[in-house]
Amino acid sequence: MSIEFLITTLIVVISPGAGAIYTIATGLGRGGRASLWAALFCTFGIVPHMLAAITGLAAVLHTSALAFDIIKYLGVAYLLYMAWSTLRETGALSVEARQEKKRLGAMAAEVMLINLLNPKLSIFFFAFLPQFVPTGTPNAVMRMLELSGVFMAMTFVVFALYGLFAAAIRGQVTSRPAVLTWMRRSFAAAFVMLGAKLALTQR
């Protein structure tokens, strides 16, 4: 496990994206336990893209403009929906009094859609993983799976820290309606910006 891979992975993971924003919003809106579930679902949401990269399916997205654009604009539409639901107080930043487990299925579905509808993730892993698996490496597939596992572990740890920090200041946010309204608008704007960034993304 090279230090270059670990440093690159850390930089990628800590960079703000839809998954990180979703986890932070969940921590603020629903507390520490829910934020850990969000971090876990975000981590497992990476799996389809890693498998696509390892099996070569990401090359299809890279070469097919139509397939790429279809998935991309579906992702844009879903991010805009997330912004709208956040403003309506039904998204990740909704303040829940009931137990988190009652909505775990809905949370998992939201996170999976956020990840699955971002074709750049598959292409990223298609370009990222082979850099650390030289040509001719014995059991190259197993090596890529090992690197993927490390990437997922670091993703979970970083996202969990994001979520727990957000949960720690939750009381200061939810007890002030004006602050909560500002936070909702900020997260909605973040989802809109991520949607715009995805819409402008080229293969």
Side-chain angles (χ1 to χ4, degrees):
M1 195 65 58
S2 68
I3 188 65
E4 291 83 2
F5 173 80
L6 295 175
I7 292 174
T8 304
T9 296
L10 182 61
I11 292 172
V12 170
V13 169
I14 64 175
S15 301
I21 290 173
Y22 184 92
T23 303
I24 293 170
T26 301
L28 286 171
R30 300 176 62 193
R33 182 178 299 178
S35 73
L36 291 178
W37 280 110
L40 184 64
F41 291 143
C42 285
T43 301
F44 280 104
I46 297 171
V47 171
H49 296 284
M50 287 184 170
L51 293 179
I54 291 172
T55 58
L57 294 178
V60 176
L61 287 175
H62 186 60
T63 57
S64 173
L66 179 60
F68 182 88
D69 285 343
I70 288 174
I71 296 177
K72 178 177 77 172
Y73 287 115
L74 286 173
V76 171
Y78 190 71
L79 285 170
L80 294 178
Y81 166 77
M82 290 296 297
W84 178 70
S85 65
T86 299
L87 287 176
R88 291 183 65 244
E89 304 182 12
T90 59
L93 199 51
S94 59
V95 179
E96 300 280 346
R98 54 192 173 181
Q99 293 182 352
E100 291 86 348
K101 65 181 182 181
K102 293 184 179 180
R103 291 195 59 205
L104 287 181
M107 185 191 299
E110 287 177 347
V111 173
M112 290 301 293
L113 282 173
I114 287 174
N115 283 323
L116 288 175
L117 296 177
N118 185 357
K120 289 300 289 184
L121 279 175
S122 288
I123 293 175
F124 166 76
F125 287 114
F126 186 72
F128 176 70
L129 289 177
Q131 295 183 47
F132 301 96
V133 184
T135 303
T137 299
N139 299 317
V141 172
M142 291 302 299
R143 179 60 174 166
M144 293 179 79
L145 287 173
E146 178 187 351
L147 295 176
S148 298
V150 172
F151 188 98
M152 289 178 63
M154 292 181 69
T155 297
F156 175 74
V157 171
V158 170
F159 279 28
L161 290 175
Y162 280 156
L164 291 175
F165 173 77
I169 63 172
R170 179 176 185 254
Q172 318 236 350
V173 174
T174 56
S175 62
R176 296 175 172 84
V179 174
L180 186 59
T181 298
W182 179 83
M183 291 295 294
R184 283 199 178 99
R185 291 173 180 171
S186 298
F187 279 100
F191 281 122
V192 170
M193 286 189 290
L194 288 170
K197 181 180 178 181
L198 180 59
L200 295 173
T201 296
Q202 301 298 318
R203 288 182 297 133

